[in-house]
C-alpha cells in the first residue's frame, strides 16, 4: 500500500475500504442497480456535504479512481491545499459514518 491514500488519523486499510465502497456505489449507481435499501448511499451523500456542491461529484470520482490534484478535472477551480483538505474530509466523514474509526 502506498502513501497515496494516507490521511492523518486514518490507517491505509481504512482508506482502502472507503475507496472500495465508493467504487461499488458509483458502479451500482451508473448501472441503475442501486437497491432501495442501499445503506451506503445515505452515508456517502451526507459525507459529500462537507465540500461545495459544485465539486462534490468530482471529489467522489477522484476517490474512486484514486486520482490526485494534478489529474483531477477540478484542479483549475481550487488550490492544491484546499483540494486535499476537502478530499480528506470526505474520506474521513465516510469512515466515521461506516464506524471504521
Amino acid at each position: 500500500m502506498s502513501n497515496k491514500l494516507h490521511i492523518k488519523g486514518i490507517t491505509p486499510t481504512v482508506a482502502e475500504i472507503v475507496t472500495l465502497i465508493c467504487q461499488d456505489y458509483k458502479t451500482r449507481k451508473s448501472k441503475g442497480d442501486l437497491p432501495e435499501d442501499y445503506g451506503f448511499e445515505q452515508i456517502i451523500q451526507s459525507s459529500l456535504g462537507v465540500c461545495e456542491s459544485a465539486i462534490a461529484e468530482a471529489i467522489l470520482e477522484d476517490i474512486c479512481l484514486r486520482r490526485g490534484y494534478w489529474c483531477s478535472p477540478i484542479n483549475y477551480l481550487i488550490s492544491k491545499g484546499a483540494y486535499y483538505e476537502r478530499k480528506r474530509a470526505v474520506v474521513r466523514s465516510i469512515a466515521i459514518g461506516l464506524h471504521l474509526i
Side-chain angles (χ1 to χ4, degrees), residues 4 10 13 15-16 34 38-39 51 54 61 64 79 83 87:
K4 199 174 187 182
I10 297 179
T13 53
E16 182 69 22
L34 200 62
Y38 191 70
C51 62
E61 186 72 21
C64 292
S79 69
Y83 170 82
K87 187 174 176 182

Side-chain angles (χ1 to χ4, degrees), residues 4 51-52 54-88:
K4 199 174 187 182
C51 62
E52 293 81 2
I55 63 169
E57 287 300 316
I59 292 286
L60 180 63
E61 186 72 21
D62 290 348
I63 292 169
C64 292
L65 297 176
R66 299 180 183 152
R67 282 193 294 215
Y69 176 74
W70 295 110
C71 296
S72 178
I74 59 169
N75 66 1
Y76 64 93
L77 292 175
I78 59 176
S79 69
K80 184 177 178 180
Y83 170 82
Y84 283 114
E85 181 181 316
R86 283 159 178 79
K87 187 174 176 182
R88 289 179 187 124

Side-chain angles (χ1 to χ4, degrees), residues 13-95:
T13 53
V14 170
E16 182 69 22
I17 291 169
V18 169
T19 299
L20 293 172
I21 288 173
C22 290
Q23 288 172 348
D24 178 60
Y25 170 72
K26 280 294 270 188
T27 303
R28 287 178 185 237
K29 187 176 176 184
S30 67
K31 289 182 179 178
D33 192 25
L34 200 62
E36 292 280 327
D37 59 346
Y38 191 70
F40 300 135
E41 181 177 21
Q42 176 75 21
I43 295 168
I44 292 171
Q45 291 301 323
S46 66
S47 297
L48 289 174
V50 300
C51 62
E52 293 81 2
S53 60
I55 63 169
E57 287 300 316
I59 292 286
L60 180 63
E61 186 72 21
D62 290 348
I63 292 169
C64 292
L65 297 176
R66 299 180 183 152
R67 282 193 294 215
Y69 176 74
W70 295 110
C71 296
S72 178
I74 59 169
N75 66 1
Y76 64 93
L77 292 175
I78 59 176
S79 69
K80 184 177 178 180
Y83 170 82
Y84 283 114
E85 181 181 316
R86 283 159 178 79
K87 187 174 176 182
R88 289 179 187 124
V90 169
V91 171
R92 178 169 307 190
S93 180
I94 292 172

